[in-house]
Amino acid sequence: MPENRDANQRRARREQLQRQRAAEVRKLRLRLLAAALVLLASAAVIIAVSRKGGAAPENGESGPAANISAEAPTEASTESTTAPVRVDQPQRILPNKPTTVIHIAAGGDLVVCDETVNAVGDSGDYTTTFQDVMPILATADLACLNFEGILAGQPYGTASVSAPETMLTALKYAGVDVLQLANSKSIAGGISGLSASLQAVRRAGLTGVGTYATNADARKGKGYIIREVNGIRVALVAFTKGMDNMTLPDGSDKCVNLLYTDYDEDYQTVNTAGITQILKAVANEQPDVTIALLHWGSEYNDLISSTQTTIRDLMFDNGVDAILGSHPHYVQQVEFNEGTGKLVCYSLGDFFSAGDRAGTEYSVLLDLEITRDNTTGETKITSYTATPIATVGSGADHRVVRLENAMTAYELGALSAVTEAEYAALQNGLDRATARLNGE
């Protein structure tokens, strides 16, 4: 099956990336050591002559608090941009292996706006925009995020919320597999814009979830997708609370999975029948684990509404194992029951956005560890980690970085480091991301 081949290729790609990164890390450490020796020698001469010295940036404790487990940042990011070799050799599970473990990575909103569209200047190549988070996305067995925009051609940017297809190409290269398309901007370009977006997503080799070009496609797709990852069947569904108060036209009422029946008004009446119908269809597929990507809540607000808790319980009662939220643009709390393996993250924040509003410039990439007991067949989420990320830079330097790695690069004086002002903002973002995940 194509999905199995993709999973095997991702695993081979992950292993190659890990080898490449280890080699680059060794090179970087040697360069930094040499630079440090030169600096020490220069400092000694200056002190001897002038008896005066400059203070280096303070390197204080910046480790994450409980529930944050980011990749240890010991050096600046130096991931190779060379396209990984694709390998078709199948990966087989040994019969006597007691468990199978896979990892699913998830990001929040990629907001299509002038700042994100113009992040590459005239080059049109967004590869470096997402390069620093590639080690997280590409090394996961499956990676997803919410694409809050459309792909309906020019003009691009805030007014149209349309993005160039090269942005999708870069996301695919960075390791993203699935895009949530059920969100506020699903029909910003009408049903024709939705259809164009779905075609662009397919051309990029990605999979969209939560929307359909026609009602006939919706009936055929049944509202979900199934991906097999290392022998574990993962079901993904996506729903949105609404579409900026826009209404689906007659004859296209099934083209977007909806959380509310009053989706164009007050968001008070949960679409219980519609949600249950899709989740029952998922259950009939007998997946090992089900992930729900929900565009819900209120923008720039930490409030968890009563209808959200109703939806959460409805999802869990109908077989969903994890709920990954978007739309508020802020990181919100994670609730995880280790006994049942049920997890909800109410909002992952903005994966990539203008980053010009306090609280939206930082977010997290969540990694879900899913374990199957190969004796009993029981499969559930066994743990999760969260890597803080941030949107930094401006103009053609607008990009996503791993927050702690960017801080370490600055402290080590790397040429690609963030500015002094951005460094201070990253320190605050690390503290706030930690607190928000813990519901503080």
Side-chain angles (χ1 to χ4, degrees), residues 185-233:
K185 308 303 179 185
S186 296
I187 57 172
I191 297 301
S192 62
L194 172 58
S195 178
S197 298
L198 288 164
Q199 292 176 43
V201 168
R202 286 192 288 269
R203 281 195 296 270
L206 297 162
T207 302
V209 60
T211 62
Y212 296 92
T214 66
N215 276 0
D217 288 345
R219 287 189 291 271
K220 183 178 179 180
K222 299 181 182 179
Y224 62 88
I225 62 173
I226 301 284
R227 297 293 295 269
E228 185 170 313
V229 182
N230 201 18
I232 294 179
R233 285 167 54 80

Side-chain angles (χ1 to χ4, degrees), residues 56-63 404 407-408 411 423 427 430:
E58 183 179 352
N59 187 2
E61 292 295 326
S62 59
E404 289 187 292
M407 291 173 64
T408 301
E411 292 162 0
Y423 178 77
Q427 288 180 311
L430 180 61

Side-chain angles (χ1 to χ4, degrees), residues 387-427:
T387 301
I389 62 173
T391 296
V392 299
S394 61
D397 190 43
H398 204 59
R399 65 196 191 281
V400 186
V401 298
R402 289 169 290 172
L403 196 149
E404 289 187 292
N405 285 57
M407 291 173 64
T408 301
Y410 175 88
E411 292 162 0
L412 294 175
L415 294 177
S416 60
V418 295
T419 65
E420 183 177 357
E422 287 172 336
Y423 178 77
L426 292 177
Q427 288 180 311

Side-chain angles (χ1 to χ4, degrees), residues 58-127:
E58 183 179 352
N59 187 2
E61 292 295 326
S62 59
N67 285 342
I68 293 277
S69 178
E71 181 179 345
T74 56
E75 59 283 322
S77 174
T78 57
E79 284 71 41
S80 171
T81 58
T82 302
V85 176
R86 301 187 68 82
V87 180
D88 291 326
Q89 183 177 353
Q91 303 290 316
R92 291 184 172 82
I93 303 171
L94 297 176
N96 61 347
K97 189 176 181 181
T99 61
T100 299
V101 178
I102 64 171
H103 289 265
I104 296 179
D109 299 288
L110 191 162
V111 179
V112 177
C113 58
D114 290 341
E115 290 81 2
T116 54
V117 166
N118 296 327
V120 294
D122 296 328
S123 73
D125 184 358
Y126 293 86
T127 302

Side-chain angles (χ1 to χ4, degrees), residues 146-168:
N146 177 59
F147 189 84
E148 193 161 1
I150 60 174
L151 298 124
Q154 295 181 331
Y156 302 130
T158 303
S160 66
V161 299
S162 182
E165 291 190 33
T166 50
M167 186 177 286
L168 296 188

Side-chain angles (χ1 to χ4, degrees), residues 370-405:
I370 297 170
T371 304
R372 182 181 66 196
D373 185 318
N374 289 330
T375 300
T376 66
E378 181 186 21
T379 307
K380 68 177 184 178
I381 298 167
T382 44
S383 69
Y384 75 93
T385 58
T387 301
I389 62 173
T391 296
V392 299
S394 61
D397 190 43
H398 204 59
R399 65 196 191 281
V400 186
V401 298
R402 289 169 290 172
L403 196 149
E404 289 187 292
N405 285 57

Side-chain angles (χ1 to χ4, degrees), residues 54-354:
E58 183 179 352
N59 187 2
E61 292 295 326
S62 59
N67 285 342
I68 293 277
S69 178
E71 181 179 345
T74 56
E75 59 283 322
S77 174
T78 57
E79 284 71 41
S80 171
T81 58
T82 302
V85 176
R86 301 187 68 82
V87 180
D88 291 326
Q89 183 177 353
Q91 303 290 316
R92 291 184 172 82
I93 303 171
L94 297 176
N96 61 347
K97 189 176 181 181
T99 61
T100 299
V101 178
I102 64 171
H103 289 265
I104 296 179
D109 299 288
L110 191 162
V111 179
V112 177
C113 58
D114 290 341
E115 290 81 2
T116 54
V117 166
N118 296 327
V120 294
D122 296 328
S123 73
D125 184 358
Y126 293 86
T127 302
T128 58
T129 307
F130 310 117
Q131 179 180 336
D132 195 59
V133 291
M134 185 178 181
I136 301 171
L137 298 172
T139 58
D141 293 288
L142 192 67
C144 56
L145 56 83
N146 177 59
F147 189 84
E148 193 161 1
I150 60 174
L151 298 124
Q154 295 181 331
Y156 302 130
T158 303
S160 66
V161 299
S162 182
E165 291 190 33
T166 50
M167 186 177 286
L168 296 188
T169 304
L171 289 173
K172 174 68 175 177
Y173 179 77
V176 176
D177 300 287
V178 176
L179 293 179
Q180 177 182 356
L181 299 179
N183 54 52
S184 300
K185 308 303 179 185
S186 296
I187 57 172
I191 297 301
S192 62
L194 172 58
S195 178
S197 298
L198 288 164
Q199 292 176 43
V201 168
R202 286 192 288 269
R203 281 195 296 270
L206 297 162
T207 302
V209 60
T211 62
Y212 296 92
T214 66
N215 276 0
D217 288 345
R219 287 189 291 271
K220 183 178 179 180
K222 299 181 182 179
Y224 62 88
I225 62 173
I226 301 284
R227 297 293 295 269
E228 185 170 313
V229 182
N230 201 18
I232 294 179
R233 285 167 54 80
V234 180
L236 294 106
V237 296
F239 295 84
T240 181
K241 65 178 293 184
M243 296 156 292
D244 285 343
N245 298 116
M246 298 178 69
T247 304
L248 287 165
D250 292 341
S252 300
D253 54 298
K254 303 297 183 184
C255 288
V256 181
N257 291 348
L258 298 165
L259 290 172
Y260 298 89
T261 56
D262 58 343
Y263 66 90
D264 56 345
E265 296 176 353
D266 301 323
Y267 316 111
Q268 293 298 312
T269 306
V270 175
N271 184 21
T272 303
I275 294 170
T276 303
Q277 180 182 13
I278 290 175
L279 294 182
K280 283 185 176 179
V282 171
N284 288 337
E285 295 276 0
Q286 297 184 331
D288 295 296
V289 65
T290 300
I291 311 294
L293 309 174
L294 304 186
H295 201 67
W296 64 348
S298 300
E299 288 185 302
Y300 314 112
N301 194 316
D302 288 327
L303 176 67
I304 307 300
S305 69
S306 60
T307 59
Q308 281 182 271
T309 58
T310 298
I311 291 168
R312 176 200 64 196
D313 294 343
L314 178 64
M315 293 275 172
F316 285 162
D317 290 343
N318 283 274
V320 169
D321 297 285
I323 295 171
L324 304 175
S326 59
H327 182 59
H329 305 296
Y330 292 162
V331 176
Q332 292 181 344
Q333 68 198 70
V334 172
E335 297 172 355
F336 178 51
N337 185 319
E338 294 186 33
T340 63
K342 301 285 188 180
L343 179 146
V344 54
C345 179
Y346 288 95
S347 174
L348 289 162
D350 281 349
F351 169 77
F352 186 46
S353 67

